[in-house]
Amino acid sequence: MLNPTLPQVASLFIDNQWISSDVSKPAFNPFNGESIGRVFECSPELLDLALAAARRGAELAAAMPARERAGKLHRAADNVRAHAQELALVMAVETGKPVRDGRTEVLRSADTLDLAAQEGLRIEGRHIPMDSSAIGAGKLGVSLRFPVGVVAAITPFNAPVNLTAHKLGPAWAAGNSVILKPSAQAALTLQKYVEILLEGGIPPEWLQLVQGDQAAAALVRAPQVDFISFTGSSGVGELIKAGSGLKRVALELGGVGHTIVAQDAVLEDCAPVCAINGMRLAGQSCISVQNVCVHRSLYDGFLERIAASVGALKTGNPLDEATDVGPVISEHSAARILTLVDEARRDGAQRVCGGARAGALVQPTLLAGVPADARVVRQEVFGPVVNVMPYDDIEAVFRQINAGPFGLQAGIFTQSIGLAMTAMRRLRMGGVIVNGSSTWRSDQAPYGGVKDSGMGREGPKFAIREMTEERFVVFNA
């Protein structure tokens, strides 16, 4: 195990300067509870400076040719790759993410920046056939896309680097500037990431970095902000939408990770996938496998296999390369997770394994026979807990899933193309993964949910469309 050199403070980056403020909060290592630094909070006066700088930066970014913007993104991506191990170690200490997973995330973020650079070269409009109406005859109509201006990017702790790249990359590729407000629980990681991006050649005018919940609330209301991109809980997403006025927003929110194991599924394929994708990242992913619905004829065999896979996972220090499951983000979060587990057990669920914690380290927990109305099923757990429930009628499963408030992603394991097509049509989700679990995302693909799981789509091509606005131009003869 290595002991990384951490930034001592998470500073603010405003108008090309790293600065502090009069107010700061401590940052803690979730694995051992030790203090690891402080996070400065952005005052209203400093936020005004950041907003003014962002407006100037938006003009500069929009004026730069797309090819030059793409080149800067590619060079920044290369620098991120060169610092992958360093950044993964900081992330492991600050967020508890196992260093192996952190390294994978950092490298994915570099790919995301490259993908955004490529898509920025393909922003295109379209010809509108004006001769189709009498009033338009003889005119030339084209629809073009232009950058929105200033993007406020509010990012979470659970995949802090790549989820930030999914906002920064498309915004910059489209010609916008960004004010970034990361989670306080990943502030040191994001400071290091911003340093690496700037060192890689990202123009400082493109980015302002602020900290603090008050700054986030002010960004949502600020008239200088043209677009808000948020990843986080459904409750906060609802507040952002309510407070943003007529600004456009993209909200990537929560989910309860349903995965269906159909009667014809191959248990050797689906059980290990559900185990790993329910427990990796300590279950702190909005598409983490949380609820597995298994046909009753396969239920006992599936339960045996998933329990064996869960039992083989190593839980412990995130700096250990062998660790599969590290701590959740805080002891408070761990206590909340165990409250849901204990409540489900009182309602009749059986604990197959796990169900305990040491500080913020929650044992990977497998529950069987969980009542469908239990909070551990209906609410987003955001922890290493998987509920396994038998079913007899798959149509009833479809109805049960659709009746819930979330609609992010679902998975189904089946050898029947007909059933796969039925699931695709019936499940009201942002994504349906066939012969895979709910936990799957490729960075170039459209990603997002419906209902309480959000609105808008990420993935560089789709985020660029969100972060540009359409302008119709008519040429009269």
Side-chain angles (χ1 to χ4, degrees):
M1 282 182 277
L2 298 174
N3 292 314
T5 301
L6 287 166
Q8 294 301 303
V9 294
S11 300
L12 314 174
F13 186 74
I14 296 174
D15 203 8
N16 197 16
Q17 294 185 64
W18 289 103
I19 58 178
S20 61
S21 68
D22 296 332
V23 180
S24 66
K25 291 183 178 180
F28 297 96
N29 179 332
F31 177 68
N32 57 26
E34 292 180 356
S35 176
I36 55 174
R38 299 195 68 82
V39 180
F40 287 110
E41 299 218 342
C42 186
S43 67
E45 294 76 18
L46 289 173
L47 184 61
D48 286 342
L49 294 177
L51 288 164
R55 287 246 61 98
R56 295 192 297 271
E59 294 176 6
L60 293 172
M64 183 180 292
R67 185 174 180 275
E68 291 184 29
R69 296 197 299 261
K72 291 184 182 298
L73 281 165
H74 284 310
R75 287 189 290 276
D78 289 341
N79 202 46
V80 169
R81 293 186 183 96
H83 291 85
Q85 179 68 5
E86 174 189 358
L87 192 52
L89 290 169
V90 175
M91 197 188 315
V93 172
E94 186 180 28
T95 72
K97 176 172 286 192
V99 67
R100 284 188 291 118
D101 290 324
R103 194 163 51 242
T104 298
E105 180 188 334
V106 173
L107 294 174
R108 278 185 65 176
S109 83
D111 290 344
T112 299
L113 295 175
D114 278 333
L115 288 166
Q118 295 163 18
E119 293 297 341
L121 299 175
R122 294 194 280 264
I123 300 173
E124 58 185 13
R126 56 179 177 170
H127 168 244
I128 309 299
M130 302 304 295
D131 282 349
S132 59
S133 69
I135 195 173
K139 295 175 171 48
L140 174 64
V142 292
S143 176
L144 305 174
R145 303 203 70 83
F146 293 86
V148 294
V150 176
V151 173
I154 305 174
T155 61
F157 70 82
N158 58 316
V161 171
N162 195 34
L163 294 183
T164 296
H166 269 284
K167 301 182 189 307
L168 299 183
W172 291 338
N176 300 297
S177 68
V178 180
I179 301 182
L180 171 64
K181 206 300 289 184
S183 165
Q185 294 164 311
L188 298 173
T189 302
L190 264 296
Q191 164 152 327
K192 178 63 68 174
Y193 191 53
V194 167
E195 289 174 355
I196 291 167
L197 292 172
L198 295 172
E199 180 186 81
I202 292 298
E205 296 83 6
W206 288 7
L207 179 62
Q208 315 295 315
L209 172 64
V210 301
Q211 305 283 358
D213 292 340
Q214 288 187 345
L219 280 176
V220 169
R221 299 187 300 267
Q224 299 94 327
V225 171
D226 301 293
F227 184 88
I228 302 166
S229 179
F230 170 75
T231 299
S233 72
S234 298
V236 175
E238 185 174 0
L239 292 174
I240 287 174
K241 187 172 185 295
S244 59
L246 296 179
K247 294 186 186 72
R248 289 165 53 202
V249 298
L251 305 175
E252 197 275 281
L253 308 177
V256 291
H258 276 97
T259 296
I260 300 168
V261 178
Q263 188 173 7
D264 62 352
V266 178
L267 292 183
E268 291 78 6
D269 294 340
C270 56
V273 170
C274 289
I276 293 169
N277 289 340
M279 306 303 176
R280 68 181 292 270
L281 312 183
Q284 296 173 121
S285 167
C286 48
I287 50 175
S288 180
V289 173
Q290 179 176 318
N291 298 308
V292 185
C293 303
V294 185
H295 191 273
R296 196 173 299 276
S297 65
L298 302 180
Y299 182 73
D300 291 340
F302 179 87
L303 204 55
E304 179 182 352
R305 286 172 173 80
I306 192 174
S309 295
V310 170
L313 297 173
K314 180 178 178 180
T315 303
N317 192 335
L319 289 173
D320 187 341
E321 289 279 353
T323 294
D324 298 303
V325 182
V328 296
I329 194 63
S330 67
E331 285 199 42
H332 176 77
S333 182
R336 177 190 57 79
I337 292 163
L338 266 295
T339 296
L340 294 174
V341 170
D342 292 341
E343 184 182 282
R345 293 178 65 188
R346 289 195 298 272
D347 290 342
Q350 296 87 49
R351 180 183 64 85
V352 178
C353 58
R357 71 180 178 94
L361 199 63
V362 178
Q363 293 179 0
T365 301
L366 193 61
L367 299 177
V370 189
D373 61 351
R375 287 202 303 155
V376 78
V377 173
R378 294 182 294 105
Q379 296 182 7
E380 185 175 36
V381 174
F382 222 64
V385 178
V386 173
N387 308 302
V388 183
M389 299 164 285
Y391 76 87
D392 298 296
D393 177 12
I394 199 164
E395 289 290 342
V397 174
F398 293 156
R399 289 194 296 271
Q400 177 187 326
I401 293 173
N402 286 339
F406 296 104
L408 188 50
Q409 288 197 167
I412 182 168
F413 287 91
T414 179
Q415 298 181 70
S416 166
I417 187 65
L419 180 56
M421 295 287 282
T422 299
M424 174 196 73
R425 294 188 178 102
R426 300 280 176 83
L427 291 172
R428 191 180 172 205
M429 293 281 150
V432 177
I433 315 302
V434 178
N435 286 322
S437 75
S438 63
T439 315
W440 189 87
R441 179 179 183 179
S442 183
D443 291 304
Q444 74 272 36
Y447 178 78
V450 298
K451 302 192 291 184
D452 285 5
S453 291
M455 60 183 62
R457 290 295 179 268
E458 288 193 340
K461 175 180 178 179
F462 310 95
I464 284 174
R465 184 165 183 86
E466 300 274 357
M467 295 176 182
T468 53
E469 55 193 18
E470 190 168 19
R471 190 175 304 164
F472 179 55
V473 181
V474 178
F475 293 88
N476 289 282

